Amino acid sequence: MTNVTMTVNGQKVSGSVEGRTLLVQFLRDTLGLTGTHVGCDTSQCGACTIHLDGKSVKACSLLAVQAEGAEITTIEGLAEGDVLHPVQAAFKEHHGLQCGFCTPGMIMAATDMIRRHPEGLDEGTVREELEGNICRCTGYHNIVKAIMAASEAVKTGSTKAA
Amino acid sequence: MYDVNYHRAGSLEEALKLFKAAEDGKFIAGGQTLIPAMKTRLAAPSDLVDLRHIADLKAISVSGKTVTIGAGVTHAEVAASADIAAACPALCHLAGLIGDPQVRHMGTIGGSLANNDPAADYPAAMLALAATIITSTREIAAEDFFTGLFETALEEDEIITAVRFDAPEKAGYAKFPNPASRYAMAGVFVAVDGGAVRVAVTGAGDDGVFRSAELEAALAAEFSASALEAVAVPADDLMTDIHASAEYRAGLVVAMAKRAVAMATS
């Protein structure tokens, strides 16, 4: 067993893991942050998407030890108290979910996408950029709408993503 | 996944030392192929030596026509590099087609080349650009580097440190991705420099990436998509699998070559 230390949602955390422990297992089982989901476990569905040093990655395709010393953000780290992150607010407003299983990964991918496109997002770009996230309810239309609305809200500095 | 001992290297020397001390070690960069392979027990190394934190492997430099990309540069970084875009925009385009955004944030050019997946994108670019693969011990021409399916000229304890190539006058890349995996069912990189045309094909060959003599000859005579109208690529050495027959892939190769030429001439 090895001890790993990293910053998760702004807090320094440590835990004892095996070399083979996946980052997603560490987040869910050791830290109890079960908002990060495991969908396919084969790095295709994106339900486990988190931010590693500010960039979206799949936590099922990364060992916990690889993230030693890193800054991690999970879905639990987005809202500020009771105030939803603009992307969360937009998913709520536009009903960007059906069963909700893929939603944390969709939102983490979307926040990263919006960061990389400060100029704004068109529908084609959003759909292409969602390549790594699968919604098995096939609820993509509202997910895309929500991300475009959130992108606009972030661009204009509005807190309400409608 | 079987358990594994993890080591993080801070330098190339340290990585080589850690590897030597391991019983059955493997180098890991972004790990976007290796971790999934370990999860399915297709790979079961005793030790992993992580190269992701070696600063020397992360540089991109363009000096005159010469482009050098560190092995640890991620696909996302290549796709977004203004320096590479000015020298060879087709390579940025190619990098942006690999996997998905999350995979591109982790996966590296060195890792992709060392793995030499027969349907990976970068091998086609390296072969068409006549790139040099620079390692911890030597320089290897792309022509000699790719030796078969998942096989390269690399020794067990040899690490790719960078790739280098001269920016071509024109280049283009097009791939037909498998609709599920997004790996190339046929990907074609064309490059023109000093009157010479090089065309490399990934995803379709029975023995991995290869240059197409038929496409090169037709494009050397006339560098246009229409010059490929009557060209046929032989299906003999192409791959047949559940996704497509060799004959179908032969058709895809020509179709992708046309698109790549269109990109190069646009």
Side-chain angles (χ1 to χ4, degrees), chain A residues 17-26 41-43 58-66, chain B residues 1-6 26 28 30-48:
Chain A
V17 296
E18 287 186 300
R20 62 180 162 180
T21 303
L22 297 168
L23 178 59
V24 72
Q25 293 172 318
F26 178 69
D41 211 20
T42 55
S43 52
K58 294 180 176 177
C60 81
S61 303
L62 200 69
L63 301 173
V65 284
Q66 283 177 282
Chain B
M1 189 189 303
Y2 291 110
D3 205 6
V4 66
N5 300 306
Y6 171 85
K26 253 196 184 307
I28 182 167
Q32 298 300 283
T33 298
L34 185 52
I35 298 288
M38 287 171 66
K39 285 166 75 172
T40 52
R41 298 185 175 176
L42 287 170
S46 66
D47 294 73
L48 287 177

Side-chain angles (χ1 to χ4, degrees), chain A residues 38-55:
Chain A
V38 178
C40 67
D41 211 20
T42 55
S43 52
Q44 308 195 336
C45 82
C48 66
T49 301
I50 52 120
H51 296 176
L52 170 78
D53 293 326
K55 293 172 183 169

